[in-house]
Amino acid sequence: MKRLVFFLVLALLPGLAGAEALDVLIEEKARAEFGATLPDTGEFEITLKAGGLEEAVMLSAFWMDRATGQFVANAVTGEGELRRVTGLALLTVPVPVPVRRLMPEEIIAEADLRVLRLPHGRVGSFAVTRVEDLVGMQVRSLLAQGRPVMAQSVQAPRIIDRGDKVAIRYTDGLLELTAPGRALADAHRGQEVKIVNLVSNASVVGIATAEGVVEVTR
């Protein structure tokens, strides 16, 4: 009786009668499980239990652990049989990782990176996922070979080091003056930095705009 019901369902729903590769059906269900949270670059690696079903007309039920990718599904065969299938639908994303150990103070070059597809669950929310967001950045803390790079482990390159002599540019929209100064902290481009004017001995805060240059706007 159960087989007859399946045959009736297949007959009444055009387009379901042709069997498809089971991994394709599994991926469709897995994508639906993630919905809007699925990364644009996400891809699934489907692994089915050896010796199991390879094709099915449809999946009548699907359960999945999003954290591990393990799934259980009920597949309907072309003969109308209901078969239980299990396996792994592992979501992976492309992530740039260092090809060698990178030390603090180094500037990251494109040749220092390669892109690997890693399980989504292993890529933390603070991992940098685009090559262009790493190239040209300065290493703050040791980067291990083959491991995702955390955003807090890199920074924009410093253009001023603490103790450096700098040129202080004072501007008020009409007038521009320059005075010698000394940096009291490190700074990268666009960062605020405290400096001391070596003429007046007064401390001021400005913006590091170029190597050895700090602008102060009145």
Side-chain angles (χ1 to χ4, degrees):
M1 181 66 180
K2 185 180 293 186
R3 179 177 296 186
L4 178 59
V5 171
F6 279 123
F7 275 126
L8 289 174
V9 170
L10 297 179
L12 292 173
L13 297 178
L16 292 181
E20 286 192 64
L22 187 56
D23 57 352
V24 173
L25 296 175
I26 295 296
E27 181 171 348
E28 289 176 353
K29 291 292 187 180
R31 287 183 174 276
E33 283 287 324
F34 279 85
T37 65
L38 182 69
D40 293 338
T41 56
E43 293 181 4
F44 286 92
E45 295 180 2
I46 309 298
T47 304
L48 299 171
K49 185 177 179 180
L53 193 65
E54 294 184 357
E55 292 186 338
V57 173
M58 61 180 291
L59 299 180
S60 63
F62 183 82
W63 303 270
M64 178 181 179
D65 183 338
R66 289 174 47 170
T68 64
Q70 293 181 317
F71 70 83
V72 178
N74 289 337
V76 180
T77 69
E79 292 74 33
E81 295 180 352
L82 192 65
R83 297 273 297 274
R84 176 63 59 88
V85 293
T86 61
L88 194 67
L90 186 62
L91 175 62
T92 65
V93 291
V95 181
V97 300
V99 298
R100 62 180 179 86
R101 187 168 62 172
L102 295 175
M103 306 299 292
E105 309 299 324
E106 286 194 70
I107 303 298
I108 302 174
E110 190 168 356
D112 293 323
L113 304 169
R114 64 170 173 162
V115 177
L116 297 179
R117 294 204 72 89
L118 299 177
H120 182 256
R122 282 180 51 195
V123 180
S125 58
F126 294 105
V128 182
T129 57
R130 301 196 312 167
V131 171
E132 54 267 38
D133 291 338
L134 286 176
V135 173
M137 297 293 279
Q138 188 173 42
V139 179
R140 291 185 63 188
S141 55
L142 177 69
L143 302 182
Q145 179 180 347
R147 299 284 298 276
V149 177
M150 299 296 105
Q152 60 268 31
S153 298
V154 296
Q155 64 184 2
R158 287 198 309 273
I159 57 176
I160 292 175
D161 291 323
R162 180 176 181 177
D164 280 355
K165 287 186 176 181
V166 298
I168 308 173
R169 291 180 180 171
Y170 294 92
T171 60
D172 63 2
L174 297 175
L175 183 65
E176 181 175 312
L177 300 174
T178 301
R182 188 177 301 278
L184 300 179
D186 300 335
H188 56 73
R189 191 184 304 275
Q191 183 179 12
E192 283 192 346
V193 59
K194 192 173 184 180
I195 50 180
V196 60
N197 186 318
L198 296 180
V199 176
S200 65
N201 207 34
S203 296
V204 294
V205 175
I207 302 295
T209 58
E211 189 169 349
V213 178
V214 176
E215 291 194 1
V216 176
T217 303
R218 293 183 177 179

